[in-house]
Amino acid sequence: MPALLLLAILLKVGYVSAPVSQPMYMSDGGMLAQWLNSNSGSFRPGFLFGFGLVALMASVLYGGFVTSNRRMFAQRHVLVPMSMLLFSSLFPFSNVMLPALLVLPLLIGTFASLTRLYQSEHPRTSIINAGILSGLGYLLYHPFIWVLPGCFIGLAFMRPFRLAEWVLLLAGMLTPVYFVLATEFLTNHWHPASHLPTLGHIQWPTAISWYGWLCISMALVWLLAGFNSWQQQTRRMVIQGRKNWYSLLMMGLFMLPGLLLPQGNTAGMLALLSFPAGSLMANAFVSEGKGIGQLLFFWLLVIVVAVAGWGWKTGLL
């Protein structure tokens, strides 16, 4: 843990002094973005960015606890928190997306509630909790909408199909919307259209610097290494662990379109993807022996992260 905290400080301290743009976040990105844009003058940018990094650190610790507690790894370690920190550092602009960082714990909590269904004697409680957390995540940050279909797939992995449970999950998702709309109606602030996502059209990136290609290439190599090791680990895993992994990976796959839709939220979606992607990539460092290859790969990853951070700081990324 001390080494993890030291790594977090070294990787993230530079983002507290990140440059500020106006508006800071997409105006149609959800209630959090709207509130932060309208109240940005009340806070110092360094405080907001620092608060986001604290939220990220809390999320990586929470993610490590959930994956270890759900038997997704053969032993307890801090590889998932470390991988989440390194993945987010590979894409530096995701570290200043405060709305996404603040709803990242809701994503992890949704996954924790769904995976609790495997041995739960009272499944309705976990289902409604997962629905409320995911619905709240969407209200606060609209790109979270891509997580919602993954919740239903996760429910299908954990429980035999029962229409009543699927309806209960949907009702849980709609509960935060109901209370927010009711409050707005009663206080004469009725603006239901502001809670609808604006998808727009896909806008492919046209100019990617060599810093960007370096980060993307490193992430793909790391992902392939983690996936290959994960396949070997799942052969010896109990069925509960495999179902948990399938649920998490499906949630991650459903989140991929959010990199392009809604427009301008690529950084925020990368921040959310740090949990499913970081969990899978952590398998690249899991093995029965202590291989020199893993150590060299780790330091190569740290070097690429340092280069990416320098490119972002100088405006070249």
Side-chain angles (χ1 to χ4, degrees), residues 189-303:
H189 292 85
W190 179 251
H191 300 292
S194 63
H195 302 299
L196 297 176
T198 304
L199 295 180
H201 60 278
I202 297 179
Q203 184 176 0
W204 298 97
T206 55
I208 302 179
S209 66
W210 73 269
Y211 286 96
W213 285 117
L214 176 64
C215 297
I216 295 172
S217 301
M218 191 68 210
L220 290 176
V221 171
W222 189 11
L223 181 64
L224 291 175
F227 183 77
N228 180 63
S229 179
W230 171 77
Q231 283 187 312
Q232 299 176 10
Q233 298 292 328
T234 51
R235 296 171 185 172
R236 303 187 297 270
M237 196 175 296
V238 297
I239 188 171
Q240 178 184 357
R242 289 199 296 269
K243 284 191 173 184
N244 293 338
W245 271 114
Y246 297 151
S247 178
L248 181 61
L249 295 183
M250 289 304 299
M251 290 178 70
L253 286 175
F254 274 101
M255 292 164 62
L256 290 179
L259 295 172
L260 300 175
L261 292 172
Q263 298 179 40
N265 287 287
T266 302
M269 188 54 67
L270 284 171
L272 292 180
L273 279 169
S274 63
F275 175 55
S279 299
L280 179 61
M281 292 172 167
N283 288 279
F285 303 106
V286 175
S287 66
E288 297 178 356
K290 303 296 182 181
I292 188 66
Q294 292 177 333
L295 183 61
L296 293 176
F297 183 75
F298 170 77
W299 285 110
L300 175 62
L301 186 58
V302 170
I303 292 173

Side-chain angles (χ1 to χ4, degrees), residues 15 92 210-211 303-317:
Y15 296 104
W210 73 269
Y211 286 96
I303 292 173
V304 175
V305 165
V307 172
W310 173 260
W312 182 75
K313 275 286 188 179
T314 56
L316 299 176
L317 179 59

Side-chain angles (χ1 to χ4, degrees), residues 127-203:
I127 292 173
I128 197 67
N129 287 342
I132 291 176
L133 289 174
S134 57
L136 183 61
Y138 161 71
L139 272 180
L140 295 177
Y141 188 59
H142 286 168
F144 203 90
I145 193 174
W146 295 106
V147 179
L148 304 186
C151 295
F152 289 96
I153 301 300
L155 178 60
F157 278 127
M158 295 298 156
R159 302 277 298 174
F161 176 77
R162 292 184 176 90
L163 181 60
E165 293 182 351
W166 284 55
V167 173
L168 186 64
L169 179 60
L170 179 61
M173 293 176 178
L174 296 177
T175 298
V177 180
Y178 171 78
F179 280 103
V180 169
L181 292 179
T183 302
E184 290 183 350
F185 180 79
L186 294 175
T187 58
N188 200 24
H189 292 85
W190 179 251
H191 300 292
S194 63
H195 302 299
L196 297 176
T198 304
L199 295 180
H201 60 278
I202 297 179
Q203 184 176 0

